[in-house]
Amino acid sequence: MKFFIELLISFSLLDLKTHQSGQLSPRLKKRREGSAMRVMHPLVLCLIVACIGGCAFLPRDAGFSDVESLVAERVGEPLHWAGVSLEEEAIRLRVEALLGEPLSAAGAVRLALLNNPSLQAELEEMGIARADLVRAGLLRNPVFGATLRFPEGGGGTNLELSLVQEFLNVVQLPMRRRVAVKSFEQVKLRTVDTALTLVADTQDAFYVAQASLWVTEIRSLIVDVSEAMADVAERLHHAGNITDLDLAKEKTRYQQVRLKHMQAQAHQALAQEQLAVLLGLAESSSMRISPRLPELPPTAISESGLEDRALAQRLDLAAVRMEREILLESLGGARLAALQPDFGLGVEAERETDGSWLAGPKIRMNLPVFDGGGTAVDAKEGRLREALRRERAMEVQIRSEVRQAWVRLQHGRQEVDHYQQVLVPLHARIMEESQLQYNAMQLGVFQLLNTKREQLEVGALHVDARKNYWLARSRLARVVGGLLPEPEPLPVDDELEDLFGANPAPPVNTGFLSDSLERFRQ
């Protein structure tokens, strides 16, 4: 723009100098200077106004405070934008601090919101939307034209200048600003929804990794017990107390248990890798996971009001509703643009070969001979109806998702309660009675070890059921929109802790095994 202003001024000054130095009468010189200046002043003024209009600016973090507040309200954890809300070095220090302690579900979510690179890329989308918002508030650049003609016989040069501004662009400016503001709000909603999806995925991956770690420990105990049983079977076979068939069966069970243990180890490694990706970690070995799944919350979640809450809270639905409002807002502009999409107003000035200037307004418009613009309006109306249908379909889908998630959560809670209140106590009682009968020499060591193995198998199933409950709860929070009350940190179940220990690597119950085997050998 500066170049065009300088060019116009140069043309004007050159023209004046040329004719001042020529053989013209003082009266003609004065008349030409006056006409030239009258023509050039409006053109220069228009260009200066256009330059001022192009100086709109929004800071880089525009809109991020809204996204940050909404994420904190939904998940209770802060969201940071690297290089904008928090410096890279500060993020690195916070990541190291979080990795210095065993991760809980809340710690994993905090780490993902801080360090996930995909979420940081999504935040950069806000910068693109911010630029679109600024651009929507600007007038479209006026079209400048210049034509030079040189007469064959010599003499003055014919110069023609024009400046045209699209009229519809000026009229539609408020509407385009409203649409751009709604589009920016839509991007913010989608950014928050992406953050909530990351939170749900991180919780799922964490619970899977935590459960796999626990199950692997239990499988290790089962391997120890099965190995002891295979050793007992070998001794009994040498003594002639069991057949070759019984020995082969026991060795087969031992190898099957080892295979399950290897599968559990592989599952644990894969689960940790998936969690590390969500946390933005280069190596999964850099994190330590709290080894025990939490207990269930004391009270169940009521189904009442969940569907209405989801319809009010779901941000993906809010983004679809915003899309419908954008289409409705732009429909009026489409109807206006259909009449005269290229209508423009401007000025045109021409300098004749004798040095005199002619100036006047200029109008540019198209003739709706072949395209009356109705198809563009029809397309906009069709997209609006499509958006309405999609919104209704999404509401139905959300209601169904909430009901399914609630049923899955209730079933998961009942399953955990059944293990915790019925099966685990029963197997503990069986184990206690078996120990008493073994002490009274009414039960063999082989049966005692088998009872222990069955008890551990039930413990592994119990852990798996508890994992499914937390996955179901995470799913319900996702489909409702993230405003489920978070459970208080609870201690590990006492009976499970007695069985498997509360430390990350609980010691194998070697005392129980060694005592029984020693007595068997004697």
Side-chain angles (χ1 to χ4, degrees), residues 458-469:
V458 170
L461 294 175
H462 182 192
V463 171
D464 193 58
R466 189 176 288 193
K467 176 199 70 177
N468 292 335
Y469 169 84

Side-chain angles (χ1 to χ4, degrees), residues 386-439:
E386 180 187 15
L388 284 170
R389 305 295 184 198
R390 289 187 184 279
E391 183 180 332
R392 298 291 179 268
M394 194 169 185
E395 289 177 355
V396 173
Q397 179 67 26
I398 287 175
R399 288 184 180 277
S400 176
E401 288 177 355
V402 171
R403 291 193 294 269
Q404 292 179 46
W406 186 82
V407 169
R408 194 174 290 113
L409 181 66
Q410 292 305 109
H411 177 74
R413 188 180 188 88
Q414 292 171 0
E415 188 174 343
V416 172
D417 287 343
H418 189 72
Y419 274 110
Q420 196 161 312
Q421 298 172 7
V422 179
L423 288 178
V424 171
L426 277 178
H427 277 271
R429 177 69 182 277
I430 292 172
M431 189 64 217
E432 183 180 353
E433 292 295 329
S434 298
Q435 185 71 54
L436 291 176
Q437 290 192 19
Y438 176 76
N439 294 338

Side-chain angles (χ1 to χ4, degrees), residues 207 210-211 214 292-296 412-413 415-417 419-420 424 459-473 490-497:
Y207 289 135
Q210 197 175 37
W214 200 351
R292 297 294 181 261
L293 286 165
E295 277 195 81
L296 273 57
R413 188 180 188 88
E415 188 174 343
V416 172
D417 287 343
Y419 274 110
Q420 196 161 312
V424 171
L461 294 175
H462 182 192
V463 171
D464 193 58
R466 189 176 288 193
K467 176 199 70 177
N468 292 335
Y469 169 84
W470 285 109
L471 291 179
R473 187 181 178 91
L490 296 172
V492 180
D493 178 74
D494 292 338
E495 293 186 5
L496 281 176
E497 187 172 352

Side-chain angles (χ1 to χ4, degrees), residues 216-426:
T216 302
E217 293 176 10
I218 296 174
R219 289 290 170 199
S220 176
L221 291 174
I222 295 175
V223 168
D224 291 338
V225 173
S226 299
E227 184 179 8
M229 292 181 67
D231 182 60
V232 170
E234 189 75 32
R235 292 173 182 273
L236 291 174
H237 180 263
H238 279 297
N241 293 329
I242 62 173
T243 63
D244 294 343
L245 177 61
D246 294 332
L247 177 62
K249 286 181 178 179
E250 194 53 44
K251 286 184 175 180
T252 301
R253 277 193 286 270
Y254 171 54
Q255 295 304 325
Q256 289 175 342
V257 166
R258 286 188 61 200
L259 181 61
K260 287 185 177 181
H261 183 227
M262 288 187 286
Q263 292 171 344
Q265 288 177 317
H267 185 66
Q268 176 192 344
L270 293 176
Q272 289 189 350
E273 283 298 328
Q274 292 177 357
L275 179 61
V277 171
L278 293 170
L279 300 183
L281 302 178
E283 296 179 357
S284 61
S285 58
S286 59
M287 64 180 175
R288 289 183 297 153
I289 299 176
S290 179
R292 297 294 181 261
L293 286 165
E295 277 195 81
L296 273 57
T299 57
I301 296 175
S302 172
E303 188 182 14
S304 177
L306 284 180
E307 294 180 30
D308 294 336
R309 174 177 289 193
L311 294 179
Q313 292 183 167
R314 283 281 291 264
L315 297 179
D316 51 350
L317 178 61
V320 170
R321 287 170 175 164
M322 189 65 74
E323 178 68 23
R324 187 242 305 159
E325 293 182 10
I326 291 172
L327 289 172
L328 184 61
E329 189 74 48
S330 60
L331 182 59
R335 286 170 177 160
L336 183 61
L339 299 177
Q340 279 295 331
D342 298 323
F343 184 73
L345 292 175
V347 294
E348 185 172 272
E350 181 178 1
R351 191 189 66 189
E352 300 292 348
T353 54
D354 60 357
S356 62
W357 281 90
L358 300 175
K362 180 177 182 178
I363 298 177
R364 188 189 66 190
M365 60 185 298
N366 65 340
L367 299 178
V369 177
F370 303 107
D371 184 5
T375 54
V377 176
D378 291 343
K380 284 283 184 181
E381 291 176 345
R383 290 193 182 95
L384 179 59
R385 291 192 297 272
E386 180 187 15
L388 284 170
R389 305 295 184 198
R390 289 187 184 279
E391 183 180 332
R392 298 291 179 268
M394 194 169 185
E395 289 177 355
V396 173
Q397 179 67 26
I398 287 175
R399 288 184 180 277
S400 176
E401 288 177 355
V402 171
R403 291 193 294 269
Q404 292 179 46
W406 186 82
V407 169
R408 194 174 290 113
L409 181 66
Q410 292 305 109
H411 177 74
R413 188 180 188 88
Q414 292 171 0
E415 188 174 343
V416 172
D417 287 343
H418 189 72
Y419 274 110
Q420 196 161 312
Q421 298 172 7
V422 179
L423 288 178
V424 171
L426 277 178

Side-chain angles (χ1 to χ4, degrees), residues 69-111:
S69 301
L70 202 50
V71 171
E73 176 188 326
R74 297 297 176 93
V75 300
E77 297 293 342
L79 173 66
H80 296 290
W81 190 352
V84 176
S85 65
L86 200 62
E87 296 299 328
E88 299 278 357
E89 180 63 17
I91 289 179
R92 187 185 64 80
L93 293 176
R94 292 192 183 190
V95 169
E96 288 180 356
L98 287 170
L99 292 177
E101 300 291 335
L103 279 178
S104 62
V109 168
R110 190 175 303 124
L111 186 54

